[in-house]
Amino acid sequence: MELWRFIDAVNQAGESPAEPRDLQRFEETTGIFLPDDYCAFLLACAGGRCLQKVSFDFPNGVWAGYVLDVGGLQKDPVYSLVHNRRFPPWPLHNDLLWIMSDHGGNPICLRLDEGNEGKLCFIDHELAPEDDDWTLEEASSRDWGYVLPLASSFTEFVRKLRRK
């Protein structure tokens, strides 16, 4: 899917996309430096509810779900990257940044850990460990199956989306 088609599927509810100063403030406040392709998205889309059935698959071709909530730099806590970073409604490792969720409430995150920066992953919230003493490496292992790879970049993820 082309980026503009994905943006067109998102109801931004009258919110304005981020401006460069908003991205700079986010990065300075959180210490998270966002990948260029994701910054370009935030400069074009405020985030919101995906009103069309936009489907995505795991890398092996198995259907994963539909995009539902899309994050942005806006005030509404449901779609706010800042709010969801501070108060994640799911157990998330510090090296993960929620950027959207699927129709079942599973987070889709940007990885921030060294060597994996900018990769997207799917978090199966039903398999989430109850405590905080797990590592991202453990959660990404085949044994746990909690943090599953989706794409090597935001651009790749969007390119593989399809409308149902």
Side-chain angles (χ1 to χ4, degrees):
M1 173 178 286
E2 295 291 328
L3 181 60
W4 69 269
R5 287 192 186 276
F6 179 54
I7 292 169
D8 189 51
V10 176
N11 177 2
Q12 299 179 58
E15 292 281 338
S16 298
E19 297 197 17
R21 69 177 179 270
D22 300 322
L23 291 171
Q24 182 179 1
R25 188 177 317 113
F26 175 84
E27 291 181 343
E28 288 172 354
T29 303
T30 64
I32 297 170
F33 295 95
L34 301 170
D36 290 343
D37 60 344
Y38 187 61
C39 286
F41 169 75
L42 293 174
L43 292 170
C45 184
R49 176 68 48 111
C50 191
L51 297 179
Q52 299 173 12
K53 283 195 170 186
V54 176
S55 182
F56 64 99
D57 298 333
F58 289 114
N60 63 3
V62 173
W63 182 75
Y66 297 111
V67 174
L68 184 63
D69 294 327
V70 180
L73 295 181
Q74 60 167 278
K75 291 181 175 73
D76 186 328
V78 173
Y79 310 113
S80 169
L81 296 177
V82 174
H83 177 81
N84 285 295
R85 178 68 176 174
R86 288 186 187 144
F87 308 104
W90 320 269
L92 290 181
H93 191 275
N94 200 38
D95 284 334
L96 298 172
L97 175 66
W98 172 88
I99 61 169
M100 62 183 77
S101 56
D102 76 351
H103 66 286
N106 294 297
I108 297 169
C109 297
L110 275 175
R111 289 190 65 155
L112 308 171
D113 53 317
E114 188 174 339
N116 291 302
E117 300 96 336
K119 293 181 180 178
L120 269 71
C121 60
F122 176 91
I123 312 301
D124 188 335
H125 73 281
E126 292 175 357
L127 297 178
E130 295 295 322
D131 53 30
D132 291 336
D133 63 349
W134 54 276
T135 67
L136 188 51
E137 185 177 32
E138 288 172 326
S140 301
S141 72
R142 290 181 189 259
D143 295 335
W144 281 39
Y146 169 53
V147 177
L148 305 168
L150 279 179
S152 63
S153 68
F154 183 76
T155 299
E156 179 187 330
F157 177 76
V158 170
R159 191 177 70 244
K160 291 181 177 182
L161 292 173
R162 61 191 185 286
R163 208 176 313 182
K164 287 285 185 178

